[in-house]
Amino acid sequence: MTQKKTLILAIETSCDETSAAIVEDGHIIHSNIVASQIKSHMRFGGVVPEIASRHHVEQITQVIEEAMTQAEVTYADLSAVAVTEGPGLVGALLVGVNAAKAIAFAHQLPLIPVNHMAGHIYANRFEAPLNFPLMALVVSGGHTELVYMEADGIFEIVGETRDDAAGEAYDKVGRVLGLTYPGGKQIDEMAHIGQDTFHFPRAMIKENNYDFSFSGLKSAFINTVHNAEQKQMTLDKKDLAASFQASVVEVLVTKTIRACEEYGVKTLVLAGGVAANAGLRATLTEQMTACLPQIKLMIPPLALCGDNAAMIGAAAYISYQKEEWAAYDLNAIPSLEIDEK
Ligand code: KG4
Ligand code: ZN
Protein backbone atom coordinates (compact mmCIF):
# COMPACT_ATOMS: atom_id res chain seq x y z
CA MET A 1 0.00 0.00 0.00
CA THR A 2 1.42 3.40 -0.91
CA GLN A 3 1.45 5.96 1.87
CA LYS A 4 -0.56 9.13 1.30
CA LYS A 5 1.66 12.13 0.70
CA THR A 6 1.51 15.04 3.14
CA LEU A 7 0.80 18.37 1.42
CA ILE A 8 1.23 21.44 3.60
CA LEU A 9 0.19 24.97 2.68
CA ALA A 10 2.74 27.18 4.46
CA ILE A 11 2.42 30.92 5.06
CA GLU A 12 5.18 33.38 6.03
CA THR A 13 4.61 37.07 6.82
CA SER A 14 7.04 37.80 9.66
CA CYS A 15 8.79 40.79 8.10
CA ASP A 16 8.79 42.24 4.59
CA GLU A 17 8.03 39.27 2.35
CA THR A 18 4.52 37.88 1.86
CA SER A 19 5.00 34.23 1.01
CA ALA A 20 2.98 31.05 0.54
CA ALA A 21 4.18 27.61 -0.49
CA ILE A 22 2.97 24.08 -1.04
CA VAL A 23 5.44 21.54 0.33
CA GLU A 24 5.18 17.76 0.05
CA ASP A 25 6.51 15.55 2.88
CA GLY A 26 8.69 18.38 4.21
CA HIS A 27 11.18 18.28 1.36
CA ILE A 28 9.54 18.70 -2.05
CA ILE A 29 8.55 22.20 -3.16
CA HIS A 30 5.47 22.35 -5.40
CA SER A 31 5.32 26.15 -5.27
CA ASN A 32 6.98 28.93 -3.28
CA ILE A 33 5.59 32.39 -4.03
CA VAL A 34 7.47 35.32 -2.47
CA ALA A 35 6.11 38.87 -2.83
CA SER A 36 8.83 41.23 -1.64
CA GLN A 37 8.00 44.67 -0.28
CA ILE A 38 11.59 45.90 -0.27
CA LYS A 39 10.92 48.70 -2.77
CA SER A 40 8.31 50.23 -0.43
CA HIS A 41 10.70 50.27 2.53
CA MET A 42 13.86 51.33 0.67
CA ARG A 43 13.21 55.05 0.82
CA PHE A 44 12.86 54.84 4.62
CA GLY A 45 16.19 52.99 5.04
CA GLY A 46 14.57 50.06 6.83
CA VAL A 47 11.32 48.14 7.28
CA VAL A 48 8.41 50.33 8.45
CA PRO A 49 6.14 47.97 10.45
CA GLU A 50 2.82 49.66 9.55
CA ILE A 51 3.65 49.65 5.85
CA ALA A 52 4.70 46.00 6.10
CA SER A 53 1.36 45.00 7.67
CA ARG A 54 -0.62 46.89 5.07
CA HIS A 55 1.26 45.23 2.20
CA HIS A 56 0.73 41.80 3.74
CA VAL A 57 -3.02 42.44 3.95
CA GLU A 58 -3.07 43.54 0.31
CA GLN A 59 -1.00 40.60 -0.93
CA ILE A 60 -1.86 37.58 1.21
CA THR A 61 -4.96 36.25 -0.58
CA GLN A 62 -3.40 36.56 -4.00
CA VAL A 63 -0.10 35.00 -2.90
CA ILE A 64 -1.90 31.99 -1.37
CA GLU A 65 -4.05 31.56 -4.49
CA GLU A 66 -0.96 31.73 -6.67
CA ALA A 67 0.81 29.09 -4.56
CA MET A 68 -2.23 26.78 -4.84
CA THR A 69 -2.61 27.35 -8.59
CA GLN A 70 1.05 26.86 -9.36
CA ALA A 71 1.10 23.62 -7.35
CA GLU A 72 -2.16 22.53 -9.00
CA VAL A 73 -3.79 21.65 -5.70
CA THR A 74 -7.17 22.37 -4.13
CA TYR A 75 -7.94 22.79 -0.42
CA ALA A 76 -9.25 19.23 -0.40
CA ASP A 77 -5.76 17.95 -1.29
CA LEU A 78 -4.12 19.63 1.71
CA SER A 79 -3.05 17.82 4.89
CA ALA A 80 -2.46 20.94 7.02
CA VAL A 81 -1.90 24.70 7.07
CA ALA A 82 1.33 26.01 8.61
CA VAL A 83 2.20 29.56 9.55
CA THR A 84 5.05 31.53 11.12
CA GLU A 85 3.92 32.50 14.62
CA GLY A 86 7.14 34.40 15.51
CA PRO A 87 9.62 35.94 15.87
CA GLY A 88 8.91 39.00 13.75
CA LEU A 89 6.85 42.17 13.56
CA VAL A 90 3.57 41.63 15.38
CA GLY A 91 1.35 43.37 12.83
CA ALA A 92 3.02 41.49 10.00
CA LEU A 93 2.83 38.09 11.73
CA LEU A 94 -0.86 38.58 12.54
CA VAL A 95 -1.79 38.81 8.88
CA GLY A 96 -0.34 35.35 8.20
CA VAL A 97 -1.66 33.85 11.43
CA ASN A 98 -5.20 35.04 10.72
CA ALA A 99 -5.13 33.88 7.11
CA ALA A 100 -3.92 30.44 8.23
CA LYS A 101 -6.57 30.22 10.95
CA ALA A 102 -9.34 31.14 8.51
CA ILE A 103 -8.22 28.48 6.01
CA ALA A 104 -7.78 25.82 8.73
CA PHE A 105 -11.25 26.57 10.13
CA ALA A 106 -13.02 26.75 6.77
CA HIS A 107 -11.48 23.52 5.48
CA GLN A 108 -11.15 21.68 8.80
CA LEU A 109 -7.39 21.30 8.50
CA PRO A 110 -4.78 21.00 11.28
CA LEU A 111 -3.13 24.36 12.04
CA ILE A 112 0.65 24.22 12.60
CA PRO A 113 2.56 27.11 14.19
CA VAL A 114 6.21 27.42 13.10
CA ASN A 115 9.15 29.33 14.53
CA HIS A 116 10.67 31.49 11.77
CA MET A 117 14.27 30.62 12.76
CA ALA A 118 13.45 26.90 12.75
CA GLY A 119 12.15 27.52 9.24
CA HIS A 120 15.51 29.00 8.21
CA ILE A 121 17.28 25.87 9.51
CA TYR A 122 14.84 23.55 7.71
CA ALA A 123 15.46 25.39 4.41
CA ASN A 124 18.39 22.95 4.25
CA ARG A 125 16.01 19.98 4.26
CA PHE A 126 15.25 20.55 0.58
CA GLU A 127 18.85 19.65 -0.24
CA ALA A 128 19.15 16.40 1.77
CA PRO A 129 17.91 14.81 5.02
CA LEU A 130 19.39 16.36 8.17
CA ASN A 131 21.72 14.12 10.16
CA PHE A 132 21.84 14.65 13.91
CA PRO A 133 23.39 15.81 16.15
CA LEU A 134 23.60 19.03 14.22
CA MET A 135 24.85 22.59 14.74
CA ALA A 136 23.15 25.46 12.93
CA LEU A 137 24.68 28.88 12.39
CA VAL A 138 21.59 31.05 11.99
CA VAL A 139 22.39 34.51 10.66
CA SER A 140 19.59 36.86 9.62
CA GLY A 141 18.51 40.47 9.88
CA GLY A 142 17.17 40.00 13.40
CA HIS A 143 19.13 37.03 14.79
CA THR A 144 22.61 35.56 15.05
CA GLU A 145 22.60 32.25 16.90
CA LEU A 146 24.40 28.96 17.15
CA VAL A 147 21.70 26.33 17.63
CA TYR A 148 22.42 22.74 18.65
CA MET A 149 19.92 20.08 17.58
CA GLU A 150 19.95 16.59 19.00
CA ALA A 151 17.01 15.54 16.83
CA ASP A 152 14.27 16.97 14.61
CA GLY A 153 12.36 19.80 16.29
CA ILE A 154 14.62 20.02 19.37
CA PHE A 155 16.60 23.24 19.59
CA GLU A 156 19.18 24.51 22.11
CA ILE A 157 20.71 27.95 21.71
CA VAL A 158 24.39 27.55 22.59
CA GLY A 159 25.42 31.09 21.65
CA GLU A 160 23.90 34.28 20.31
CA THR A 161 24.63 37.92 19.64
CA ARG A 162 24.70 40.20 22.66
CA ASP A 163 23.73 43.22 20.58
CA ASP A 164 23.25 43.57 16.82
CA ALA A 165 22.46 40.66 14.52
CA ALA A 166 24.94 40.12 11.68
CA GLY A 167 22.43 41.20 9.00
CA GLU A 168 21.48 44.26 11.02
CA ALA A 169 25.17 45.28 11.22
CA TYR A 170 25.50 44.81 7.45
CA ASP A 171 22.48 47.00 6.81
CA LYS A 172 23.65 49.71 9.23
CA VAL A 173 27.12 50.03 7.74
CA GLY A 174 25.49 49.88 4.30
CA ARG A 175 23.57 53.00 5.21
CA VAL A 176 26.80 54.75 6.30
CA LEU A 177 28.24 53.96 2.86
CA GLY A 178 25.14 55.47 1.24
CA LEU A 179 23.78 52.14 -0.03
CA THR A 180 20.07 51.44 -0.35
CA TYR A 181 18.36 49.17 2.21
CA PRO A 182 19.13 46.32 2.73
CA GLY A 183 22.86 46.84 2.25
CA GLY A 184 24.01 43.27 3.02
CA LYS A 185 24.15 41.96 -0.54
CA GLN A 186 25.79 45.12 -1.91
CA ILE A 187 28.51 45.08 0.77
CA ASP A 188 29.14 41.43 -0.02
CA GLU A 189 29.62 42.32 -3.70
CA MET A 190 31.91 45.28 -2.91
CA ALA A 191 33.91 43.16 -0.45
CA HIS A 192 34.99 40.87 -3.26
CA ILE A 193 36.78 43.64 -5.10
CA GLY A 194 38.29 45.31 -1.99
CA GLN A 195 41.01 44.41 0.51
CA ASP A 196 40.96 44.08 4.31
CA THR A 197 43.12 47.17 4.86
CA PHE A 198 41.39 48.50 7.99
CA HIS A 199 41.69 45.39 10.19
CA PHE A 200 38.59 46.10 12.27
CA PRO A 201 38.29 44.31 15.64
CA ARG A 202 37.22 40.65 15.82
CA ALA A 203 34.96 40.95 18.86
CA MET A 204 34.76 38.03 21.32
CA ILE A 205 36.72 35.75 19.00
CA LYS A 206 38.94 34.41 21.77
CA GLU A 207 36.31 34.29 24.52
CA ASN A 208 35.41 30.90 25.85
CA ASN A 209 31.74 31.00 24.83
CA TYR A 210 29.70 30.95 21.62
CA ASP A 211 28.28 34.45 21.83
CA PHE A 212 28.85 37.21 19.31
CA SER A 213 28.91 40.99 19.32
CA PHE A 214 28.78 43.23 16.26
CA SER A 215 28.06 46.67 17.72
CA GLY A 216 31.77 47.40 18.43
CA LEU A 217 32.64 46.54 14.85
CA LYS A 218 29.83 48.76 13.62
CA SER A 219 31.11 51.67 15.78
CA ALA A 220 34.69 51.13 14.62
CA PHE A 221 33.45 51.25 11.02
CA ILE A 222 31.36 54.39 11.56
CA ASN A 223 34.19 56.16 13.44
CA THR A 224 36.66 55.36 10.68
CA VAL A 225 34.31 56.83 8.05
CA HIS A 226 33.45 59.93 10.11
CA ASN A 227 37.08 60.67 11.07
CA ALA A 228 38.06 60.50 7.42
CA GLU A 229 35.17 62.82 6.48
CA GLN A 230 36.29 65.36 9.08
CA LYS A 231 39.77 65.34 7.58
CA GLN A 232 38.18 65.57 4.14
CA MET A 233 39.81 62.30 3.19
CA THR A 234 38.08 59.81 0.89
CA LEU A 235 38.29 56.18 1.90
CA ASP A 236 37.93 53.33 -0.55
CA LYS A 237 34.41 51.97 -0.02
CA LYS A 238 35.37 48.60 -1.44
CA ASP A 239 38.19 48.26 1.11
CA LEU A 240 35.83 49.35 3.90
CA ALA A 241 33.33 46.70 2.80
CA ALA A 242 36.04 44.04 2.52
CA SER A 243 37.42 44.92 5.97
CA PHE A 244 33.97 44.81 7.57
CA GLN A 245 33.13 41.50 5.93
CA ALA A 246 36.50 39.98 6.88
CA SER A 247 35.80 40.73 10.53
CA VAL A 248 32.22 39.37 10.50
CA VAL A 249 33.17 36.22 8.61
CA GLU A 250 36.25 35.45 10.69
CA VAL A 251 34.34 35.68 13.97
CA LEU A 252 31.35 33.67 12.72
CA VAL A 253 33.47 30.92 11.18
CA THR A 254 35.97 30.63 14.06
CA LYS A 255 33.32 30.32 16.75
CA THR A 256 31.13 28.01 14.68
CA ILE A 257 34.01 25.60 14.07
CA ARG A 258 34.85 25.60 17.78
CA ALA A 259 31.21 24.85 18.65
CA CYS A 260 31.06 21.99 16.12
CA GLU A 261 34.20 20.47 17.64
CA GLU A 262 33.01 20.75 21.22
CA TYR A 263 29.53 19.40 20.55
CA GLY A 264 30.80 16.60 18.31
CA VAL A 265 28.14 17.13 15.67
CA LYS A 266 27.68 15.20 12.43
CA THR A 267 26.31 18.14 10.46
CA LEU A 268 26.74 21.91 10.30
CA VAL A 269 23.99 23.88 8.62
CA LEU A 270 24.13 27.51 7.60
CA ALA A 271 20.80 29.36 7.72
CA GLY A 272 19.15 32.78 7.40
CA GLY A 273 19.38 35.74 5.03
CA VAL A 274 23.12 36.25 5.66
CA ALA A 275 23.69 32.62 4.56
CA ALA A 276 23.50 34.17 1.06
CA ASN A 277 26.81 35.93 1.78
CA ALA A 278 29.39 34.69 -0.74
CA GLY A 279 32.33 35.43 1.59
CA LEU A 280 30.75 33.51 4.46
CA ARG A 281 29.79 30.55 2.25
CA ALA A 282 33.30 30.33 0.77
CA THR A 283 35.25 30.72 4.03
CA LEU A 284 33.02 28.32 5.94
CA THR A 285 33.37 25.70 3.19
CA GLU A 286 37.14 26.16 3.06
CA GLN A 287 37.66 26.07 6.83
CA MET A 288 35.33 23.16 7.43
CA THR A 289 37.07 21.13 4.72
CA ALA A 290 40.45 21.95 6.27
CA CYS A 291 39.58 21.55 9.97
CA LEU A 292 36.55 19.25 10.24
CA PRO A 293 36.25 17.25 7.00
CA GLN A 294 34.24 14.53 8.80
CA ILE A 295 31.35 16.98 9.44
CA LYS A 296 28.84 17.47 6.63
CA LEU A 297 28.36 21.15 5.80
CA MET A 298 24.94 22.11 4.42
CA ILE A 299 24.35 25.50 2.83
CA PRO A 300 20.89 26.36 1.44
CA PRO A 301 20.52 27.40 -2.20
CA LEU A 302 20.46 31.20 -2.58
CA ALA A 303 16.72 31.24 -3.33
CA LEU A 304 15.96 29.69 0.08
CA CYS A 305 18.31 31.81 2.24
CA GLY A 306 15.96 34.80 2.51
CA ASP A 307 12.47 34.67 3.97
CA ASN A 308 10.14 32.25 2.15
CA ALA A 309 7.23 30.00 3.03
CA ALA A 310 8.73 26.75 1.69
CA MET A 311 11.14 26.64 4.65
CA ILE A 312 8.13 27.05 6.98
CA GLY A 313 6.49 24.07 5.25
CA ALA A 314 9.64 21.98 5.79
CA ALA A 315 9.78 22.77 9.52
CA ALA A 316 6.02 22.26 9.85
CA TYR A 317 6.30 18.68 8.59
CA ILE A 318 8.15 17.72 11.79
CA SER A 319 5.28 19.09 13.91
CA TYR A 320 2.76 17.45 11.57
CA GLN A 321 4.27 14.03 12.19
CA LYS A 322 4.09 14.63 15.96
CA GLU A 323 0.51 15.97 15.61
CA GLU A 324 1.51 19.23 17.26
CA TRP A 325 -1.47 21.31 16.16
CA ALA A 326 -2.50 24.73 17.42
CA ALA A 327 -5.99 25.76 18.51
CA TYR A 328 -7.92 28.58 16.83
CA ASP A 329 -6.74 31.02 19.51
CA LEU A 330 -3.21 30.88 18.05
CA ASN A 331 -1.55 34.27 18.42
CA ALA A 332 1.54 35.95 16.97
CA ILE A 333 4.58 35.96 19.31
CA PRO A 334 6.95 38.75 18.16
CA SER A 335 9.93 37.71 20.33
CA LEU A 336 9.48 33.94 20.20
CA GLU A 337 12.74 32.07 20.90
CA ILE A 338 13.65 28.92 18.99
CA ASP A 339 14.10 26.90 22.19
CA GLU A 340 10.69 27.95 23.59
CA LYS A 341 7.98 25.30 23.75
O1 KG4 B 1 16.51 36.00 6.98
P1 KG4 B 1 16.24 37.31 6.36
O2 KG4 B 1 15.76 37.32 4.93
O3 KG4 B 1 15.22 38.12 7.20
C1 KG4 B 1 15.19 38.02 8.60
O4 KG4 B 1 14.64 37.00 9.11
O5 KG4 B 1 15.76 38.93 9.22
O6 KG4 B 1 17.59 38.16 6.45
C2 KG4 B 1 17.69 39.45 5.93
C3 KG4 B 1 19.10 39.95 6.17
C4 KG4 B 1 19.27 41.44 5.84
O7 KG4 B 1 19.91 42.05 6.91
C5 KG4 B 1 20.16 41.42 4.59
O8 KG4 B 1 21.00 42.54 4.45
C6 KG4 B 1 20.97 40.17 4.84
O9 KG4 B 1 20.04 39.24 5.34
N1 KG4 B 1 21.60 39.67 3.61
C7 KG4 B 1 22.94 39.62 3.43
C8 KG4 B 1 23.16 39.13 2.14
N2 KG4 B 1 21.94 38.87 1.57
C9 KG4 B 1 21.00 39.21 2.50
N3 KG4 B 1 23.94 39.97 4.27
C10 KG4 B 1 25.18 39.80 3.82
N4 KG4 B 1 25.48 39.33 2.58
C11 KG4 B 1 24.51 38.98 1.72
N5 KG4 B 1 24.81 38.50 0.50
ZN1 ZN C 1 14.25 35.41 8.18
Side-chain angles (χ1 to χ4, degrees):
M1 200 176 83
T2 52
Q3 223 184 335
K4 190 176 175 285
K5 59 188 177 187
T6 302
L7 278 180
I8 295 181
L9 163 64
I11 298 170
E12 152 67 39
T13 63
S14 67
C15 192
D16 58 351
E17 332 275 352
T18 316
S19 183
I22 303 291
V23 176
E24 179 183 335
D25 294 342
H27 66 104
I28 303 164
I29 300 177
H30 286 260
S31 61
N32 188 23
I33 310 297
V34 182
S36 174
Q37 315 173 349
I38 281 184
K39 283 203 182 109
S40 306
H41 300 286
M42 246 177 204
R43 64 197 159 113
F44 301 104
V47 177
V48 183
E50 288 78 3
I51 294 177
S53 312
R54 200 178 321 148
H55 276 295
H56 286 308
V57 171
E58 284 165 8
Q59 299 277 345
I60 190 78
T61 311
Q62 208 179 319
V63 166
I64 293 171
E65 269 171 21
E66 220 173 306
M68 301 279 292
T69 309
Q70 207 181 86
E72 296 179 1
V73 298
T74 66
Y75 286 106
D77 300 321
L78 296 180
S79 315
V81 185
V83 65
T84 305
E85 65 168 339
L89 302 167
V90 68
L93 289 164
L94 277 171
V95 178
V97 166
N98 284 310
K101 281 203 259 190
I103 293 169
F105 179 72
H107 301 279
Q108 289 301 295
L109 291 165
L111 175 65
I112 305 175
V114 176
N115 180 297
H116 180 79
M117 308 318 291
H120 275 303
I121 294 175
Y122 275 89
N124 286 280
R125 179 62 189 88
F126 296 111
E127 295 294 285
L130 307 181
N131 278 325
F132 299 96
L134 164 161
M135 188 65 71
L137 172 62
V138 193
V139 272
S140 72
H143 290 75
T144 297
E145 304 171 328
L146 273 167
V147 178
Y148 175 73
M149 293 177 71
E150 206 174 77
D152 268 321
I154 302 171
F155 308 94
E156 182 193 339
I157 300 174
V158 300
E160 61 192 325
T161 182
R162 301 219 177 142
D163 37 61
D164 291 359
E168 189 181 357
Y170 264 98
D171 298 340
K172 282 181 183 164
V173 304
R175 206 186 305 184
V176 175
L177 292 186
L179 307 176
T180 48
Y181 173 84
K185 187 166 183 271
Q186 299 162 73
I187 296 210
D188 188 16
E189 285 160 2
M190 288 162 72
H192 287 275
I193 33 177
Q195 298 292 326
D196 178 9
T197 52
F198 293 95
H199 306 295
F200 291 127
R202 270 69 169 154
M204 300 182 73
I205 199 163
K206 293 209 169 83
E207 285 188 26
N208 192 21
N209 57 42
Y210 299 115
D211 285 345
F212 304 99
S213 166
F214 295 107
S215 78
L217 167 63
K218 184 187 66 191
S219 302
F221 184 100
I222 294 172
N223 290 341
T224 303
V225 173
H226 287 175
N227 286 342
E229 275 169 5
Q230 275 165 4
K231 293 179 194 151
Q232 291 176 336
M233 281 164 61
T234 321
L235 300 178
D236 188 326
K237 289 187 179 182
K238 296 185 292 301
D239 288 346
L240 280 165
S243 304
F244 172 80
Q245 179 142 310
S247 175
V248 174
V249 169
E250 191 180 329
V251 176
L252 288 175
V253 171
T254 305
K255 295 197 99 164
T256 301
I257 287 186
R258 220 183 287 153
C260 286
E261 270 174 332
E262 189 181 316
Y263 281 79
V265 294
K266 285 192 182 144
T267 314
L268 168 65
V269 313
L270 185 60
V274 184
N277 187 277
L280 177 59
R281 294 165 83 98
T283 309
L284 197 58
T285 306
E286 195 185 290
Q287 297 283 314
M288 285 298 287
T289 311
C291 307
L292 299 171
Q294 72 282 15
I295 297 180
K296 184 178 180 193
L297 172 64
M298 297 177 82
I299 297 181
L302 285 179
L304 296 177
C305 288
D307 292 347
N308 67 88
M311 68 185 197
I312 303 303
Y317 183 62
I318 307 304
S319 306
Y320 180 83
Q321 289 171 307
K322 296 181 190 166
E323 298 194 7
E324 289 172 353
W325 324 139
Y328 294 132
D329 63 355
L330 177 69
N331 206 351
I333 312 175
S335 51
L336 183 69
E337 294 285 354
I338 197 169
D339 53 359
E340 231 171 282
K341 261 285 150 205

